[in-house]
Amino acid sequence: MELRHLQHFVAVAEDQHFTRAAERLLVSQSGLSASIRSLERELRAPLFVRTTRRVTLTEAGRALLVEAERILAQVRSAHEAVAAVQGVLRGTLALGTEQCIAGVHVAGLLAAFRRRHPDVEIRLRQAGSGALAEEVAAGRLDLAFAYRTQADTDQLRSVSLTSEPMTVLCHPSHRLAGAGAVLAPDDLAGEVFVDFHPDWGPRRTTDAAFSAAGVRRTVALEVNDVHSLLDLIDENLGIAVVPSHFRHKRPSLTALPVKGTAEAEYETVALLPRSVPPVPRPAPWSHCWRRTTGLPDGIGRAGRVAGPAPARPAGRQRTRERVRCAMVDVMHAKDILIDGYGRIQEEVHAALKGLGPEELHFRPSPGANSAAWLVWHLTRVQDDHVADAFGLEQVWLSQGWEERLDLGLPRHDTGYGHGPEKVAKVRVESADVLTGYYDAVHEQTLGALRGLAAKDLERIVDERWDPPVTLGARLVSVLSDDLQHVGQAAYLRGLAQSAAA
């Protein structure tokens, strides 16, 4: 009996199909069948019941599967133990996610993880939040990004990443688009709804909100991807209640806030298994362990595994915890920054939405700033600082925004030191040009952030200060500056609208 025989046997048992297993293993189907027959001859027992559609395990096959998985896991553990002594992290990271999840950029996160740990195999599964929670609890996934579907259990732990309100999306010609007001679930009674499958986070959130309000709704158009949902709304075939960040994916649609849904707010979480291996953990991973499980180092809980997943040897389990901790370590700083800048984009749009020229340039006193100047200034500073920190060209120059705004200011002016006369020069015909410039800067910012590794944040970007400014400090400083200025713009919005009333 050779290891390859056991590998072939486990693959067929998992896929319940010789052709699919052969494709996955990159061997010929005839070679795979011959390998299984050789194993059956040696064990003197049939391992599979073969039909024209699928294969199933015999009683002897089920007994062998437990031992075969244990043997293969021990072999992997041996390889990984040697690699660990050499300072290399190996193993497999099984990750799950819902589509278009908020609070984490999954592709960028996986890319950063692969750069830091190239010897770890990455497997990704996309599914609804309920299915992902079950797979994490059963030990088939190491980590999943999903909507919070339930309270923490003995098998599952969740770490909150972000939360956001739900928003109605409709076609601009729809009757609701003209309302221009905050809607309640009662206002949507009788509408044709587009939504996801019942297992998806946004669908669960919306169902909970309408149930709490005592309003019945019928989902006539059910889809399993975001773009199909947006296409159906774009054709005015129905409306949808979705997490607020979806509105940025199709700006041509009308987005309206929904009141009375705070108790069913869309919350994104990282799902982690609650079980803890009863083995010592190496010191370098202790901080990851505490961050991942919330338990003090050295304390374990016996986790119950749902389903037929076999127990893993201690060495294999320890490696999985190391891989999981490494993933959590990669995701924190970068994704907090991505989420933070995403919130700035939302606030910029909210501060300027619907403002006309008079409101954009309203100044409560001659020496005060206008909302238009504040948003232009924060965008110029972000554009300038991010481009400088990452060695990029400013969007202001590379994409022609200087010519489009045509403010008559020096090319590299960012607004620092502006007095009343220069503030007055920042005049635009529409808020769209300001939000358009910010969106372009935001895209360049996200592109730069997605490629970050944790060590990059320690890079010195400005030695004129004492202590020198690191990339991490610069990015947080820009974020803080943006928050101050967009908050002032939102305040001016209220003043301008009150003065016009």
Side-chain angles (χ1 to χ4, degrees), residues 288-324:
C288 288
W289 179 261
R290 287 192 294 271
R291 183 186 300 167
T292 305
T293 65
L295 298 173
D297 204 36
I299 295 179
R301 293 183 67 175
R304 297 195 303 273
V305 178
R312 293 181 175 83
R316 175 67 176 156
Q317 182 69 16
R318 181 165 59 244
T319 297
R320 292 194 74 195
E321 293 302 335
R322 289 176 178 176
V323 171
R324 186 183 298 125

Side-chain angles (χ1 to χ4, degrees), residues 63-245:
L64 176 62
L65 180 60
V66 174
E67 296 304 322
E69 288 184 323
R70 181 177 290 117
I71 291 168
L72 293 176
Q74 287 173 335
V75 171
R76 285 192 296 267
S77 293
H79 284 287
E80 291 159 6
V82 173
V85 171
Q86 297 171 332
V88 178
L89 182 65
R90 286 182 179 158
T92 301
L93 173 71
L95 180 74
T97 183
E98 267 207 4
Q99 268 193 48
C100 297
I101 203 76
V104 59
H105 178 61
V106 176
L109 180 62
L110 290 179
F113 183 85
R114 173 163 287 170
R115 284 192 295 271
R116 294 180 66 180
H117 305 289
D119 293 300
V120 175
E121 178 187 356
I122 298 173
R123 296 178 183 173
L124 178 65
R125 167 168 160 70
Q126 192 175 80
S129 291
L132 293 174
E134 289 177 3
E135 297 213 9
V136 172
R140 291 187 290 271
L141 290 176
D142 296 303
L143 174 71
F145 299 115
Y147 160 74
R148 186 187 294 281
T149 60
Q150 60 188 48
D152 291 356
T153 68
D154 288 343
Q155 300 155 295
L156 195 67
R157 175 174 171 77
S158 60
V159 178
S160 182
L161 297 177
T162 188
S163 60
E164 59 184 315
M166 301 296 282
T167 300
V168 173
L169 285 186
C170 65
H171 191 274
S173 66
H174 193 279
R175 69 170 186 88
L176 293 173
V182 177
L183 300 171
D186 287 341
D187 300 323
L188 307 179
E191 291 291 339
V192 176
F193 282 89
V194 186
D195 214 328
F196 301 107
H197 291 181
D199 191 43
W200 280 48
R203 172 70 177 270
R204 287 172 174 245
T205 307
T206 305
D207 286 346
F210 276 73
S211 175
V215 178
R216 293 187 61 186
R217 73 178 188 121
T218 302
V219 177
L221 305 170
E222 191 174 82
V223 299
N224 64 0
D225 70 284
V226 174
H227 292 289
S228 293
L229 177 138
L230 297 174
D231 287 343
L232 291 168
I233 301 171
D234 217 0
E235 296 295 339
N236 207 11
L237 292 171
I239 68 169
V241 181
V242 294
S244 63
H245 76 275

